[in-house]
Amino acid sequence: MTELDTTRTAYDSVAALYAEMFADIDVTPALDRALIAAFAELAGDPVADLGCGPGHMTAYLASLGRTAFGVDLSAEMIAIARAAHPDLRFEQGSMTDLDLADGTLGGILAWYSTIHAAPERWPGILAEFHRLLAPGGRLLIGFFEAPAGADGVGEPIPFDHRVTLAHRWPIPLVGRLLNEAGLVVDAYTFREPEESERFQHGRVIARKPEHRPG
């Protein structure tokens, strides 16, 4: 079974419980909602919510005035999203295998949707984000943070995510990979864990420049 198959099967099995716990946007911490709102203001249309789960973030982006659609590996998640938000578009698929032309998207939200990807797959994922974004388009990526190492960058750290294996990422390393993919970082932020959470949270907003450096 491939990594994608494992992730898909794991989220299919918990989709109903996941939606019960997280599908209400008001459950999302206020600081996170504020950051997503800032991203929505910066991004163009359309915005792809890649790894959309039950569709609550897609709907939030739409409520902020963006033309948004969602994509998720899990058929069960997509079924829940379509039922909850019948006016929005949701598709089952992989974020690295989207049938979209180059420069199609004004924004990409990858909210904890890359954490289950093996570290060696991240350069390819970010390169695909670069391909999909229009010049000036924005990316907001959210993840569990790991401390930077003695070198100031650090390495991803695997951990026992409640659904399936995931990795925590140092913010400087994410920034380096984004730069290597041709994206320019606009902002790094992190949030302390709430009472029910184990780890700090990292967020990076990046953009595709009008002309790729070099």
Side-chain angles (χ1 to χ4, degrees):
M1 183 178 288
T2 68
E3 174 194 285
L4 291 181
D5 290 334
T6 298
T7 302
R8 180 186 301 110
T9 300
Y11 275 94
D12 277 345
S13 70
V14 300
L17 177 60
Y18 187 98
E20 181 181 334
M21 295 176 65
F22 300 114
D24 182 351
I25 192 63
D26 291 335
V27 174
T28 301
L31 286 173
D32 291 357
R33 295 198 307 270
L35 183 61
I36 293 167
F39 159 74
E41 184 173 347
L42 293 168
D45 287 325
V47 175
D49 180 7
L50 301 182
C52 65
H56 55 303
M57 292 295 184
T58 317
Y60 184 51
L61 289 167
S63 76
L64 295 168
R66 295 270 63 96
T67 299
F69 67 95
V71 178
D72 201 277
L73 278 175
S74 166
E76 295 297 324
M77 287 289 195
I78 290 298
I80 290 170
R82 287 172 174 167
H85 309 287
D87 54 327
L88 298 177
R89 177 162 64 99
F90 295 96
E91 301 174 1
Q92 184 186 9
S94 167
M95 67 176 68
T96 56
D97 189 27
L98 298 177
D99 187 19
L100 295 172
D102 295 0
T104 297
L105 301 176
I108 293 173
L109 176 64
W111 198 248
Y112 295 83
S113 55
T114 57
I115 62 171
H116 301 297
E120 60 268 23
R121 290 186 58 227
W122 270 55
I125 291 170
L126 298 182
E128 180 68 355
F129 291 173
H130 180 277
R131 182 189 75 80
L132 291 170
L133 284 171
R138 292 312 208 280
L139 165 69
L140 171 55
I141 184 167
F143 50 94
F144 295 103
E145 189 196 19
D151 61 355
V153 180
E155 297 291 336
I157 300 174
F159 74 98
D160 57 336
H161 187 276
R162 292 184 179 91
V163 181
T164 188
L165 177 69
H167 288 79
R168 299 162 58 200
W169 283 82
I171 290 176
L173 178 57
V174 173
R176 172 185 289 181
L177 292 175
L178 287 165
N179 289 158
E180 290 173 354
L183 297 164
V184 177
V185 172
D186 287 325
Y188 299 98
T189 69
F190 76 93
R191 177 174 66 75
E192 294 289 349
E194 297 198 333
E195 186 174 343
S196 61
E197 298 173 331
R198 291 187 285 171
F199 306 120
Q200 290 183 326
H201 302 264
R203 293 87 167 76
V204 182
I205 296 179
R207 60 185 159 83
K208 182 175 180 174
E210 298 296 327
H211 300 287
R212 184 164 183 162

